[in-house]
Amino acid sequence: MRNVALILLGAGDSSRFKSQKSPKKQWLRIDEIPLWLKVAKEVTSYYPFSKCILSIKEEEKRYTQKYLDSYNLDFILTKGGKTRQESLQNALLKVEEEWVLVSDIARCNMPKSIFTKILSSTNQSDCVVPYLSIPDTIAYDDKTLQYLKREKLKIIQTPQLSKTKILKKALLKGDFTDESSAISSYGGLITFVEGSKEGNKLTYLEDLNSLPLPSPSPKNIIGLGSDIHAMKSGNGIVLGGVMIPCEYQLIAHSDGDVCLHALSDAILGGIGAGDIGEWFPDTDDAYKNADSAQLLQKIADFALDVGYSIKQVDLTIFAQKPKISPYKQAIEKRIAEILGIPLFCANVKATTTEKLGFVGREEGIMVQANVILEYFNWKKLL
């Protein structure tokens, strides 16, 4: 049995897939788990890999680790690059094994039999590659139309099993879209094994029609958030992205928008991604006087990228002064705008504390936020 390391590549931006506002394809929910986790669980059950590596976006690493820990999967997380090759080279820095099996999360339905065939190959080649033959007539149109011999053509798939040392050297020689093209260009020996149509790659949204993937869970998810900021004399405060002229200002590292801070925490709580202080620490000068609407937008975009839809928002503002009622509709409109939800799905309530406590003494403002989310239903896009 070979000593093999596994690399799963899942750091892409899904630029060809996201024709509509939707999650990244590697984060599409299969019941409650993301697609990358489905692939990781399956592939690691096929062979006793000596090491497992997952290439992921840097900003998703901490969130990804929570899922790995939940399912007791032992993966090394490596930083994704701007290209597939850069992501692969970053991952290969962690590989000392003689052989490495590389597959793509987008190749999410490849049968176990193909992995077994590749890993059990006894040929002394430098790279073992699954392929599909082409049944149709193929024409190449450059300056003159040329009809190609289809029996000479192959559709290349992953996973691919490569000799690690040769692959590392080969990738230094140019830009390649897979391991076999790099090793072939380097002069290495390629062995082809028959692949599977079931393992077609998820590239475009319509590809989901041919993949037998379970639907996302229909359950609702609730997120709760709260925030408090002290006040001092000033010339206005920002609440819910709306400037309210008054004789106060909020004391904060950013613009002090207590509404959007509470809402940010509610979303992060719902998806299990920490809190706003972890994302935008007040010790970082980059967020000095930051626009909280932009910070909320980053969090909302992240929630969508990893597979969630925001369905409903409800905020309660506790303030003795200034008077909030005249601005509630404007705040609702701004929140709906930032989150990309219908206006009727955003609600803002305001109340005083009847002069009780620090709010009643006009020392600060408190906001509580409730958010209802669901797993993004990608089935509706088909």
Side-chain angles (χ1 to χ4, degrees), residues 116-158:
T116 301
K117 186 188 300 185
I118 292 168
L119 288 161
S120 62
S121 172
T122 57
N123 194 290
Q124 297 301 308
S125 63
D126 300 310
C127 185
V128 184
V129 184
Y131 77 97
L132 296 177
S133 57
I134 298 177
D136 299 310
T137 299
I138 301 295
Y140 176 70
D141 188 4
D142 190 9
K143 293 182 179 179
T144 59
L145 186 64
Q146 300 179 55
Y147 284 86
L148 307 179
K149 292 184 177 182
R150 61 191 179 192
E151 62 271 17
K152 296 287 187 180
L153 300 176
K154 292 178 171 62
I155 299 173
I156 302 301
Q157 297 183 309
T158 58

Side-chain angles (χ1 to χ4, degrees), residues 57-120:
K57 285 289 186 186
E58 183 70 20
E59 59 270 24
E60 297 170 8
K61 286 177 70 174
R62 181 176 177 183
Y63 193 59
T64 299
Q65 189 64 55
K66 289 187 73 172
Y67 282 87
L68 292 171
D69 292 345
S70 297
Y71 287 87
N72 296 314
L73 291 175
D74 187 13
F75 270 80
I76 298 170
L77 298 181
T78 58
K79 181 180 179 180
K82 294 180 180 179
T83 63
R84 181 188 187 277
Q85 180 166 325
E86 187 178 333
S87 295
L88 175 56
Q89 288 175 301
N90 288 346
L92 282 169
L93 294 174
K94 301 293 185 179
V95 179
E96 301 89 19
E97 287 77 3
E98 181 183 2
W99 293 89
V100 60
L101 185 78
V102 181
S103 195
D104 301 277
I105 297 301
R107 196 82 60 181
C108 58
N109 207 45
M110 185 63 83
K112 177 182 178 180
S113 59
I114 302 301
F115 285 86
T116 301
K117 186 188 300 185
I118 292 168
L119 288 161
S120 62

Side-chain angles (χ1 to χ4, degrees), residues 4-72:
V4 183
L6 170 69
I7 294 176
L8 295 178
L9 298 173
D13 289 320
S14 300
S15 56
R16 290 178 292 178
F17 178 83
K18 292 182 70 171
S19 57
Q20 301 185 45
K21 195 171 184 184
S22 64
K24 294 179 180 179
K25 58 188 174 186
Q26 59 267 39
W27 285 97
L28 292 176
R29 296 292 163 149
I30 310 304
D31 191 24
E32 293 188 35
I33 68 170
L35 184 62
W36 68 260
L37 183 56
K38 168 196 178 292
V39 174
K41 289 173 64 179
E42 290 175 350
V43 176
T44 53
S45 73
Y46 297 161
Y47 191 85
F49 296 102
S50 58
K51 182 182 295 174
C52 297
I53 299 166
L54 175 62
S55 173
I56 205 82
K57 285 289 186 186
E58 183 70 20
E59 59 270 24
E60 297 170 8
K61 286 177 70 174
R62 181 176 177 183
Y63 193 59
T64 299
Q65 189 64 55
K66 289 187 73 172
Y67 282 87
L68 292 171
D69 292 345
S70 297
Y71 287 87
N72 296 314

Side-chain angles (χ1 to χ4, degrees), residues 183-200:
I183 290 176
S184 177
S185 177
Y186 187 71
L189 178 63
I190 308 297
T191 294
F192 294 100
V193 298
E194 188 174 356
S196 170
K197 289 183 179 179
E198 293 179 57
N200 285 337

Side-chain angles (χ1 to χ4, degrees), residues 200-243:
N200 285 337
K201 191 176 180 182
L202 175 57
T203 303
Y204 303 103
L205 185 64
E206 55 267 27
D207 294 335
L208 286 166
N209 287 310
S210 60
L211 290 170
L213 297 173
S215 300
S217 167
K219 81 173 187 179
N220 287 329
I221 302 144
I222 297 177
L224 305 175
S226 61
D227 197 30
I228 297 169
H229 278 295
M231 294 193 301
K232 65 179 182 179
S233 297
N235 55 8
I237 62 175
V238 179
L239 283 183
V242 175
M243 172 57 74

